[in-house]
Amino acid sequence: NGLKLWRLPRGWSSPPAPPRFAGRADLDGTAACAQFLQTMQVARTLQSLDQFRVVSRDLTRGTLTGGVFTAIAYALLVLLLIAELGAFLRTSYQTNIVMDKNNEALMQINFDIMLYDLPCKYLKLGVWDKFGEERMNSTDAFHYIPVDHTGQARGHAYTKEEISVLEQVDAHTDVSEEEKKDLDADWSSTDDHFHHNDFQAAVTFHDFTLVNFFAEWCVHCRKFSPTWIEASNRLSEKMSFTDGNGNQATVKFLKINCVDFGENCQKAQIAAFPTMRLYKRDGSFEVFQQKRTIDNIISFLTTSIRNSHLIVAQHHSIFNEGCQVQGILRVPRVPGHFHLQAEAFGNVNVNPAITNVSHVVNHLSFGERDAKRWAQRQSIPSEMIHHITPLDGKTFIVERFHEAPQHYLKVVSTHVQGKQNVFYQMTHTDRVRKLRKESSNAAPQARFTYDFSPMSVVVKVRSKRWYEFLTSLFAILGGTYTIVELTSGAVDTVGTAVKEALGKAS
């Protein structure tokens, strides 16, 4: 009858107990059923709480107006979502003004300034208090680099120690006897046994050098040659002249063949032959423009050397080099100024009152030199970063004698909340100072006056929190959807009313 008979194993007197897994399965099924019923009860409870009941699709209809506004709504929602997400990811800053609590005794000034027309050997840098009455003790580390008028380096960097030594040593002691013979020799031919390597050194080796630029093919040069030889024998390093300071000086006569040494004559911009120039040790010169006689030569030398203290002033703009001075100063953290001005070099006197201190500021900042890069890494606002080095790359030119650019800097410490680093912003104003007549002997100074603000700027980073982002996002998206939905309904209602009115009219 469909009953399965059990065959007892040998030695067994009764059938085995039913397998245990059958009872466990019944229990698991009962538990699953109870859990399902409980879930259904929770679902019915949640459905009874539903405040967003759905209308059956059979009870609604789609309209063209609704489709258009739905597309507009989706586009607006995407744009607003992107805009709100960008605002959430973007960091903003808030600034507060507090009293400066910086207790540093020294302030570091980083500078790189190029003076267009003032050689390094005449340049002096000084640091003074605000009123210019007391020279301030400073720890400095900077050097001078000779450059030409375009800013290209002309040679190796001078240190302050090197310049100090050069000021005390007579230039003649640095020249050997063989070199002296080369410098004193005429540049008549490239085939002689002298080494004509540096024409500028030759014409500036003596206090005064009268140079005759000639060409062998020039008829006037050949006619003038006997007069030149006679004048040279009588006057060259023999006749004494009195300079503007009352000192006795002699003149070295030197001639250069512009056929064999055409490149040197071209650099000297010789346009006619013969041409005579009186060179001074600093490289400036006066051109002889009278009738070429011995008496006129003597008169020219006497007048030019007697007025030698004016020659530098008249020709200071033709210095063949400028100077780039760069480095750091550590000064007391009090108002003061540092300046760049001309001073005498060795036995060469310049008129400091009319030296040219026009300059370009390659770099000027306070505090750590890499503060600007640090601020950029912190995403500090660009207007603040600009005020860290507001003078960088700016040029300051004076057009007349007895004038000098003056700079006024107000320095404000700035730090980011939660960071240890401090950087310094500064404001800058400038003017050209005109020296008074009674101060005509004063040296023009490219002066940088600085003052430290007692206030400090604290930069606080502000970013939107995640819950503020979600709240704003839901409000914007929900509001947009509601407005579009209401607009769509209004348009649809108006359209229906218009159609009904037209139907009745027809």
Side-chain angles (χ1 to χ4, degrees):
N1 296 327
L3 296 176
K4 185 177 180 179
L5 299 179
W6 289 84
R7 183 183 296 277
L8 293 176
R10 183 176 297 176
W12 285 27
S13 59
S14 60
R20 297 186 64 181
F21 64 83
R24 184 176 299 167
D26 292 340
L27 292 175
D28 291 344
T30 303
C33 182
Q35 184 177 4
F36 175 74
L37 292 175
Q38 185 178 4
T39 302
M40 293 296 296
Q41 181 65 31
V42 172
R44 284 194 295 270
T45 302
L46 291 177
Q47 287 179 354
S48 66
L49 294 176
D50 182 17
Q51 298 299 317
F52 307 100
R53 297 179 181 273
V54 178
V55 180
S56 174
R57 194 174 185 85
D58 296 335
L59 301 178
T60 62
R61 63 183 178 85
T63 63
L64 178 60
T65 303
V68 172
F69 278 94
T70 300
I72 294 174
Y74 286 158
L76 288 175
L77 291 176
V78 171
L79 291 176
L80 292 173
L81 174 62
I82 294 174
E84 189 64 19
L85 183 61
F88 173 67
L89 298 176
R90 186 168 53 250
T91 301
S92 61
Y93 291 87
Q94 178 182 358
T95 57
N96 295 322
I97 305 299
V98 298
M99 292 297 295
D100 191 2
K101 298 180 180 179
N102 195 328
N103 295 321
E104 295 179 351
L106 296 177
M107 171 60 66
Q108 177 173 309
I109 304 176
N110 315 289
F111 63 95
D112 181 353
I113 302 171
M114 190 190 82
L115 284 88
Y116 288 108
D117 197 41
L118 188 59
C120 292
K121 59 186 177 181
Y122 298 127
L123 182 60
K124 177 183 178 182
L125 188 149
V127 182
W128 295 77
D129 67 357
K130 182 177 181 180
F131 304 103
E133 298 176 352
E134 179 182 356
R135 186 177 180 86
M136 296 169 59
N137 294 325
S138 64
T139 304
D140 45 42
F142 55 89
H143 53 272
Y144 303 93
I145 302 175
V147 295
D148 62 18
H149 295 309
T150 62
Q152 301 298 319
R154 287 285 304 256
H156 299 290
Y158 291 108
T159 64
K160 291 192 302 180
E161 292 75 16
E162 288 173 332
I163 292 180
S164 177
V165 170
L166 290 174
E167 290 174 346
Q168 299 174 5
V169 177
D170 192 335
H172 291 80
T173 60
D174 295 331
V175 179
S176 65
E177 288 298 324
E178 291 297 324
E179 292 173 335
K180 186 176 185 302
K181 291 179 181 179
D182 290 335
L183 293 172
D184 283 338
D186 285 332
W187 290 47
S188 300
S189 173
T190 56
D191 297 329
D192 57 25
H193 64 279
F194 296 106
H195 301 286
H196 303 296
N197 298 323
D198 191 343
F199 176 73
Q200 189 67 22
V203 298
T204 58
F205 180 64
H206 297 275
D207 289 337
F208 299 93
T209 304
L210 184 64
V211 181
N212 176 18
F213 298 86
F214 73 97
E216 294 175 335
W217 50 262
C218 172
V219 176
H220 299 288
C221 297
R222 291 198 294 267
K223 289 182 178 180
F224 175 61
S225 180
T227 304
W228 171 263
I229 295 174
E230 182 180 355
S232 177
N233 293 334
R234 287 178 52 186
L235 306 177
S236 181
E237 296 187 287
K238 296 177 181 178
M239 184 174 180
S240 295
F241 299 88
T242 304
D243 65 16
N245 297 322
N247 301 318
Q248 296 298 308
T250 59
V251 180
K252 171 65 182 176
F253 278 47
L254 187 72
K255 63 180 180 179
I256 176 171
N257 187 345
C258 288
V259 175
D260 287 359
F261 301 98
E263 183 177 351
N264 296 98
C265 294
Q266 290 178 0
K267 289 182 179 179
Q269 299 181 347
I270 302 302
F273 304 103
T275 294
M276 285 192 293
R277 289 179 177 178
L278 177 63
Y279 281 88
K280 299 202 319 180
R281 187 182 292 276
D282 61 8
S284 61
F285 61 85
E286 286 279 346
V287 180
F288 179 85
Q289 295 179 336
Q290 304 172 30
K291 186 176 181 180
R292 291 182 288 273
T293 64
I294 294 179
D295 292 339
N296 286 343
I297 292 175
I298 294 175
S299 176
F300 166 72
L301 294 177
T302 302
T303 303
S304 298
I305 295 175
R306 184 174 62 244
N307 297 327
S308 60
H309 62 282
L310 297 177
I311 296 178
V312 174
Q314 293 169 353
H315 299 285
H316 75 283
S317 61
I318 63 168
F319 280 132
N320 60 2
E321 67 178 36
C323 186
Q324 181 177 359
V325 55
Q326 56 183 216
I328 61 174
L329 293 170
R330 291 184 178 88
V331 300
R333 203 172 185 274
V334 296
H337 75 263
F338 69 93
H339 62 253
L340 301 167
Q341 69 177 49
E343 67 175 0
F345 169 73
N347 62 351
V348 178
N349 294 319
V350 296
N351 188 338
I354 50 178
T355 50
N356 186 356
V357 290
S358 298
H359 58 272
V360 57
V361 179
N362 297 320
H363 177 77
L364 180 65
S365 64
F366 289 77
E368 296 297 328
R369 188 175 181 87
D370 62 346
K372 185 173 183 177
R373 288 192 293 269
W374 179 85
Q376 290 172 336
R377 291 195 299 268
Q378 300 299 318
S379 300
I380 299 298
S382 57
E383 59 270 16
M384 288 189 178
I385 294 177
H386 171 72
H387 284 297
I388 297 176
T389 56
L391 273 72
D392 285 16
K394 292 188 177 181
T395 302
F396 303 91
I397 303 294
V398 294
E399 302 292 342
R400 298 178 178 85
F401 293 150
H402 307 288
E403 292 183 346
Q406 307 279 288
H407 305 273
Y408 302 90
L409 307 171
K410 176 67 75 172
V411 183
V412 182
S413 63
T414 308
H415 67 273
V416 180
Q417 191 174 41
K419 304 288 184 179
Q420 295 295 327
N421 298 62
V422 178
F423 63 93
Y424 293 87
Q425 301 182 75
M426 57 179 165
T427 60
H428 168 256
T429 56
D430 67 277
R431 71 182 183 94
V432 175
R433 181 190 178 195
K434 179 71 174 178
L435 298 181
R436 299 176 180 176
K437 292 183 178 181
E438 57 269 19
S439 302
S440 59
N441 291 327
Q445 299 175 349
R447 176 178 295 193
F448 296 81
T449 301
Y450 53 85
D451 190 9
F452 299 98
S453 172
M455 311 304 293
S456 178
V457 177
V458 179
V459 181
K460 183 179 180 181
V461 180
R462 296 196 63 185
S463 58
K464 185 176 289 187
R465 295 178 174 84
W466 65 269
Y467 55 85
E468 294 177 336
F469 165 69
L470 292 178
T471 302
S472 177
L473 179 64
F474 291 156
I476 292 174
L477 298 185
T480 302
Y481 185 82
T482 301
I483 293 298
V484 174
E485 183 180 25
L486 293 174
T487 304
S488 174
V491 171
D492 186 65
T493 301
V494 172
T496 301
V498 171
K499 289 179 181 179
E500 291 178 353
L502 292 176
K504 292 179 180 180
S506 62

